[in-house]
Amino acid sequence: MINSYAGFDDAAVAIAGARAGADVIRDLYGQRLARIDKGAGDFATTADVEAEARILGVIRAARPDDAVLGEEGGRRGAVDAARQWLVDPLCGTLNYAVGNMLVAVNVALLGGAAAVADPFSGEIFFTDGETAWVRRDGADDTPLRPSPASRLVDVNLDPPFPSAPGFRAVDLLGRPEFVERFRPRVVSTTLALTWVAAGKRAAYVTDGGGLSRSVHFAAGIALCRAAGCVVTGIDGAPIHETNRGLVVAADDETHGLLMSMMRSRS
């Protein structure tokens, strides 16, 4: 059997996986889908499961010795594998289930290449770990260029809130200096991170723990870093496994303004 992925580098594998998952998400959109209860109000749909299976098929064919951590299927492969892929087949399940198209498909090699696909715009944002690009059907790859010009800041308000009461994202929205300088948006999808990398948003703020190794955030963080965004935890320190939250900004000035607002509680 001919391996159609022979010769693919890691970025190409990530792109192929994200595209395969996005095809499933787009094809099943608008259909009545079974829901798989995860507890605490969370659920997956058959679209999540089928998209993950399609992505895993790409990774297995291209990198059979690599481990994979999937949002729906858990870990596959050796626990001590030197290489691990993180897969979120449908970031934005709640949106998707009610017919909202603000969703993404995430595929990331831990510490390396990553891709985020928007199933409905046809855009694929990707990085080889060094530079970041967007690919649109029928057009040349375009480098991602962050910009604070929009003044739009996406804020993730989803629970849990591990840093409360010291930090709650909702409090940021009520600060007069925030609304004087920025315009808030509330989005809960990896698209929010890719939009910062692409210059469509000035910043993104969320709480949470272990985001750098999360299937939900790893691909978006990789893209933002490669695009030259400022990426830290809510404490302003570089992202690592133990710090909490995420502040991604298009430039140092925007990041500094947000950090000053978050640290100054009246």
Side-chain angles (χ1 to χ4, degrees), residues 133-159:
W133 305 74
V134 60
R135 177 172 296 176
R136 299 178 179 89
D137 291 340
D140 294 335
D141 295 345
T142 304
L144 296 184
R145 302 193 187 283
S147 168
S150 72
R151 298 172 59 200
L152 299 175
V153 176
D154 280 313
V155 182
N156 187 347
L157 302 181
D158 282 354

Side-chain angles (χ1 to χ4, degrees), residues 10-262:
D10 289 333
V13 173
I15 291 168
R19 178 178 283 127
D23 288 345
V24 173
I25 300 305
R26 187 171 54 255
D27 290 346
L28 294 180
Y29 178 74
Q31 298 185 27
R32 182 181 293 274
L33 300 172
R35 296 190 179 190
I36 302 125
D37 182 37
K38 294 182 175 183
D42 193 15
F43 62 90
T45 71
T46 48
D48 299 67
V49 175
E50 292 185 25
E52 182 166 301
R54 191 76 62 85
I55 296 166
L56 292 180
V58 171
I59 295 174
R60 286 196 194 102
R63 301 290 188 270
D65 297 327
D66 290 358
V68 180
L69 177 61
E71 164 73 1
E72 308 308 331
R75 188 182 302 278
R76 295 173 175 84
V79 175
D80 59 350
R83 290 162 49 93
Q84 177 175 261
W85 294 84
L86 305 175
V87 174
D88 184 358
L90 177 53
C91 183
T93 300
L94 292 173
N95 284 341
Y96 186 78
V98 297
N100 189 310
M101 294 181 177
L102 287 176
V103 301
V105 176
N106 304 335
V107 179
L109 176 64
L110 192 60
V116 173
D118 181 335
F120 299 104
S121 73
E123 295 173 311
I124 297 182
F125 304 86
F126 66 96
T127 176
D128 57 5
E130 299 293 335
T131 56
W133 305 74
V134 60
R135 177 172 296 176
R136 299 178 179 89
D137 291 340
D140 294 335
D141 295 345
T142 304
L144 296 184
R145 302 193 187 283
S147 168
S150 72
R151 298 172 59 200
L152 299 175
V153 176
D154 280 313
V155 182
N156 187 347
L157 302 181
D158 282 354
F161 309 111
S163 299
F167 170 78
R168 283 177 60 93
V170 68
D171 295 335
L172 185 63
L173 301 183
R175 298 193 66 86
E177 62 268 39
F178 180 85
V179 295
E180 287 171 5
R181 181 65 174 78
F182 300 112
R183 292 292 176 266
R185 296 293 182 271
V186 179
V187 174
S188 182
T189 172
T190 306
L191 287 180
L193 286 171
T194 62
W195 289 340
V196 179
K200 298 179 180 181
R201 292 290 193 269
Y204 172 82
V205 180
T206 188
D207 198 355
L211 302 187
S212 64
R213 299 178 70 91
S214 164
V215 295
H216 305 292
F217 287 91
I221 290 172
L223 281 168
C224 288
R225 281 175 167 161
C229 301
V230 182
V231 181
T232 73
I234 58 173
D235 58 359
I239 288 291
H240 50 71
E241 294 180 36
T242 58
N243 66 349
R244 285 182 173 169
L246 181 64
V247 180
V248 176
D251 62 355
D252 288 321
E253 180 184 5
T254 301
H255 183 268
L257 285 168
L258 288 170
M259 293 306 304
S260 68
M261 295 173 197
M262 291 161 57

